[in-house]
Amino acid sequence: MYPTPCAAIAAASAGDEIDIAAATYNDSCNISTAGLHLKGVGGRPVIDVTGQTLANMKGIYAIEADDVIIENLELTGAQIPASEGENAAGLRIQSNGVVVTNCYLHDNQNGILSGPTTAGAGTQTIDHTELANNSLGNGCTDGNGCTHNVYVGDYAHLIFQFNWSHLAGTDGGHLLKSRALESDILYNRLTGETGDDSYEVDLPNGGLAILIGNIVEKGPMSGNGGAVLQYGEEGLGTGTNTLYVANNTFVNDYAGSPAFLDVAQGGMLGAAHDNVFSGIGTPSSTGALSADNLIGVDPLFVNPSMYDYHLTASSPAIGKGVAEGSAGTFPLIPVFEYVDPVSAVARLAAEDLGAFEYGTSTVDPSLDAGAESPDGAVTGGSGSGGSSGGSSGAGSGSGSGGGSGSGGGSSSGSSSGGVGDAGSNGATSSAGRGGGCGCTAAGQDGSASIGLLGLGAALLVLAGRRGGLRVLVGMSVMATVVAGVVGCADNTPVAQKCSPDSTVSCPQGSGYSCSGAAEPDPTTLQTYPASLRADCLSQAPAGRLT
């Protein structure tokens, strides 16, 4: 019996999944067991520590182990006094690899504060997540350091996609700050709105930075009129220091005249194509940008006062796009459009400037993305038994279910993550984990009878998942899932388990390598054979597949 998430975390073994029933909990703790998957089920649980003394004086969850997944949780109230550093976080991550997906972090001193155990190592992934009204307190003026919606340390790689970071609180921190050697910032909404944010995007040590398809807005109440995107202000690192921006919509609602792109001396603006710069300010500190960027002209947005930056029929941004080029082997052509909230839709054309192709429906953006043929939305919202539908990683195909994370493949109409996951809707996963080829369990939970028993009662249920246990918090479950046959994109059953940890040989000519040593032609939409399981996708390079 585990009445709280932290009680289950203390009892769990490496690789276990902890399913947390939709209720409100008030405890905080460390996570020091590798591979745990904390997942809200039956709705989104709330972990509210408002007024509580944090057990670790760091965050609601202080994660000190690798390969942890935090999914479908709401985290709020993390604050510690000035004497303790004034920098608590909803998630304080001190490990080389954590995935945060489909979460809501708000009203904390920091939303996410993360750093690797080894400088220059690991990947931090954040997707389909809303961060709002963090950066609380007064650390900037107290000398304890500013707090932020998101602050990512010096990882090898940050994947930040399909997120909404907005309304930074009283400390005037950034909507996104990253010291990663490579920051892939893809299809997000980063809007200051009426908040007290400083920079919308801060890359203080430069690095390889790729921004595609983002909406970035500096609000009128910003506490720093210096820049919308700041690059290299605190000193460039020793590696690659090149910034790439393509098909972003940058908006300045601040009364001053900041630089939209402020690149420190020594940094390089590798490419800036097909962007919209709306409002007063210098487009780039590096000098004039190419004519395919819309500058100093009213873009004729649908409703900018409500942060709707879709294009109207008379917009001068229509039809002005040019070839975006690439950042090394990473193509800069946009393949998604952001959809409120924390979702996306496949972009069917890239002929117009900015984050949106003209023709995308403003009533229901899932209907189309700038082309006559409708397409399906890539959703990341919560649903009964897990996150509904599935998320799709940067450059992947889209579908209505069985989502894959950054670098994952397309999922065609299937719901459910790996076999054994609880709930009928399955899990959103990152870096291609689970369900990457649309795998579905042969049987759902079926006879499961689920009911809330309150915070004082729960059951531990054993089920097959990555060789570990499934721990359920606050729920009674009368049946479990047994791993069985799965079906892929064409629904052809294959007598194989959909396990992302298994070893499998990728078919010749598929363009994939299970070791991650090879990847497909980034300009070609791949078709996955029915025999190709999620294993190959999960181990392919993240964020690079189309």
Side-chain angles (χ1 to χ4, degrees), residues 31-37 62-70 91-101 112-126 152-159 430-431 433 466:
I31 297 177
S32 55
T33 303
L36 293 189
H37 182 171
I63 303 174
E64 302 169 343
D66 292 342
D67 301 321
V68 171
I69 301 173
I70 306 294
L91 291 173
R92 177 71 177 272
I93 300 170
Q94 297 170 287
S95 74
N96 286 338
V98 170
V99 171
V100 181
T101 184
I112 297 174
L113 176 59
S114 68
T117 53
T118 304
T123 297
Q124 173 70 65
T125 300
I126 304 167
V152 174
D154 53 351
Y155 286 90
H157 194 187
L158 165 66
I159 301 170
S430 173
R433 285 188 89 108
R466 292 190 290 153

Side-chain angles (χ1 to χ4, degrees), residues 169-260:
T170 57
D171 204 22
H174 308 312
L175 299 181
L176 171 61
K177 181 171 185 174
S178 171
R179 298 184 187 273
L181 303 186
E182 177 177 347
S183 298
D184 296 343
I185 303 169
L186 311 171
Y187 317 108
N188 303 283
R189 174 176 166 179
L190 301 157
T191 47
E193 301 167 15
T194 58
D196 189 35
D197 57 289
S198 180
Y199 302 135
E200 283 56 56
V201 179
D202 184 26
L203 305 169
N205 302 127
L208 173 59
I210 301 171
L211 284 85
I212 305 173
N214 299 283
I215 305 103
V216 187
E217 182 255 358
K218 179 178 282 294
M221 306 301 293
S222 174
N224 189 334
V228 177
L229 186 157
Q230 183 71 53
Y231 182 90
E233 182 184 34
E234 299 179 29
L236 298 172
T238 58
T240 300
N241 289 298
T242 308
L243 170 66
Y244 296 88
V245 290
N247 285 97
N248 301 283
T249 296
F250 294 99
V251 177
N252 176 37
D253 289 324
Y254 186 72
S257 182
F260 285 92

Side-chain angles (χ1 to χ4, degrees), residues 297-502:
V297 178
D298 186 351
L300 299 178
F301 295 132
V302 168
N303 191 353
S305 66
M306 296 302 293
Y307 314 106
D308 186 347
Y309 303 117
H310 290 84
L311 306 177
T312 59
S314 301
S315 172
I318 295 173
K320 302 296 178 60
V322 301
E324 294 86 350
S326 63
T329 60
F330 197 130
L332 297 177
I333 184 171
V335 293
F336 288 104
E337 291 184 1
Y338 177 85
V339 175
D340 280 322
V342 297
S343 186
V345 65
R347 183 166 175 167
L348 299 186
E351 299 171 353
D352 304 334
L353 310 184
F356 299 107
E357 194 76 10
Y358 173 69
T360 301
S361 171
T362 58
V363 178
D364 183 1
S366 68
L367 295 178
D368 60 79
E372 292 181 0
S373 300
D375 55 271
V378 183
T379 60
S382 63
S384 176
S387 53
S388 67
S391 62
S392 179
S396 70
S398 66
S400 60
S404 59
S406 173
S410 66
S411 46
S412 160
S414 302
S415 62
S416 174
V419 169
D421 284 354
S424 61
N425 287 337
T428 305
S429 53
S430 173
R433 285 188 89 108
C437 58
C439 296
T440 60
Q444 301 292 340
D445 278 349
S447 60
S449 173
I450 301 176
L452 293 177
L453 300 181
L455 302 186
L459 288 176
L460 168 66
V461 177
L462 310 185
R465 184 191 180 277
R466 292 190 290 153
L469 308 180
R470 178 183 296 127
V471 180
L472 293 124
V473 178
M475 304 189 78
S476 172
V477 177
M478 303 303 293
T480 61
V481 175
V482 178
V485 300
V486 300
C488 285
D490 60 359
N491 293 318
T492 302
V494 288
Q496 296 174 327
K497 295 180 181 180
C498 187
S499 167
D501 292 329
S502 300

